[in-house]
Amino acid sequence: MSEPPQPAPRSSAPGFLIASPRLDGSPFERAVVAMVHHDEEGAMGFIINKPLEIDFGSLIQSVNEEITPQLSPSSFEMPVYFGGPVRIEQLWVMYRRLDRGDSQEAEQRRRLRRMRQRSDDDELTFNQGWYLAASGEIIEGFARGMQAGDYRPFIGYAGWGPGQLEQEIEEGSWLLDDFHAESFFHTSYDAQWDEALARIGVNPTAFMMMARSGSA
């Protein structure tokens, strides 16, 4: 007899992953991850609370000095975030603007696969009004102050293969939360993990104590 079909995994995208103390000592320690894609083929997200020691304007300037006079002063006040340990040579921008309509799911998957492989002029719609881009033109547009909308630049991303994230969630490495715009653009990055836990009803202090005792 053939085995009954397995239920499709619950998608964490769009949404947040909140790291459990089980991940302490890894690049995901106390991470809050904004998920842009999750299905049976794998998952992709960006850590939103780990800023690097370089600002957006200086990073763009280091790559293309000729654009320096065109850079917006605000770009030098925008931190670049460590999005995750995959493709750390790649710069991405996640941003919010008025929705121009979601593309078809199959087309989104094809575009996402291309974006994982190289930087091009593509962008991914992962939530209403929210976009992810690796396009040099779009990225420089934000650095020059020519692109409208709230944004965050990231280096690298967090990626999981088929079934990998589901297993990590089952093991207790991650907690799930809905996508919250106000948390994504939170200015106090060092408070985001505690606030994300509190939002889903988990006491951070009790959570850490359970982890030390081996119960989490």
Side-chain angles (χ1 to χ4, degrees), residues 95-102 125-131:
Y95 57 101
R96 176 178 58 181
R97 68 173 183 229
L98 292 177
D99 188 28
R100 66 183 186 188
D102 291 342
T125 305
F126 67 92
N127 196 19
Q128 185 174 3
W130 287 81
Y131 300 85

Side-chain angles (χ1 to χ4, degrees), residues 7 9 12 15-16 23 78 80 91 94 99 105 118-119 144 149 151 155 160 162 192-193 203 209:
S12 62
F16 287 144
L23 296 177
M78 171 66 70
V80 176
L91 179 62
M94 196 179 298
D99 188 28
E105 182 177 354
R118 66 184 191 280
S119 173
R144 295 164 60 195
Y151 74 98
I155 287 180
W160 294 264
Q192 282 179 287
W193 185 77
N203 183 299
M209 291 177 64

Side-chain angles (χ1 to χ4, degrees), residues 17-81:
L17 295 181
I18 307 170
S20 81
R22 183 185 294 268
L23 296 177
D24 285 2
S26 79
F28 296 105
E29 182 173 351
R30 296 197 174 202
V32 179
V33 181
M35 298 300 293
V36 301
H37 183 78
H38 183 197
D39 61 13
E40 66 278 0
E41 297 180 0
M44 180 183 190
F46 292 81
I47 302 172
I48 66 172
N49 60 331
K50 292 185 181 291
L52 299 170
E53 294 182 356
I54 187 169
D55 61 78
F56 187 39
S58 296
L59 180 61
I60 297 298
Q61 186 179 48
S62 69
V63 176
N64 181 7
E65 290 186 2
E66 295 181 359
I67 199 178
T68 300
Q70 304 172 36
L71 294 175
S72 166
S74 63
S75 70
F76 292 95
E77 300 174 357
M78 171 66 70
V80 176
Y81 289 79

Side-chain angles (χ1 to χ4, degrees), residues 87-162:
R87 296 270 334 244
I88 57 174
E89 78 283 359
Q90 176 66 57
L91 179 62
W92 311 74
V93 166
M94 196 179 298
Y95 57 101
R96 176 178 58 181
R97 68 173 183 229
L98 292 177
D99 188 28
R100 66 183 186 188
D102 291 342
S103 57
Q104 296 297 317
E105 182 177 354
E107 178 62 19
Q108 287 189 19
R109 292 182 182 183
R110 287 193 293 269
R111 293 166 73 181
L112 180 59
R113 281 194 290 268
R114 292 200 300 270
M115 291 176 71
R116 282 171 169 168
Q117 294 167 0
R118 66 184 191 280
S119 173
D120 54 23
D121 291 334
D122 225 342
E123 62 181 8
L124 169 75
T125 305
F126 67 92
N127 196 19
Q128 185 174 3
W130 287 81
Y131 300 85
L132 171 69
S135 159
E137 181 179 355
I138 293 176
I139 291 172
E140 288 191 358
F142 279 109
R144 295 164 60 195
M146 303 297 290
Q147 285 274 7
D150 299 318
Y151 74 98
R152 287 287 184 272
F154 296 91
I155 287 180
Y157 70 88
W160 294 264

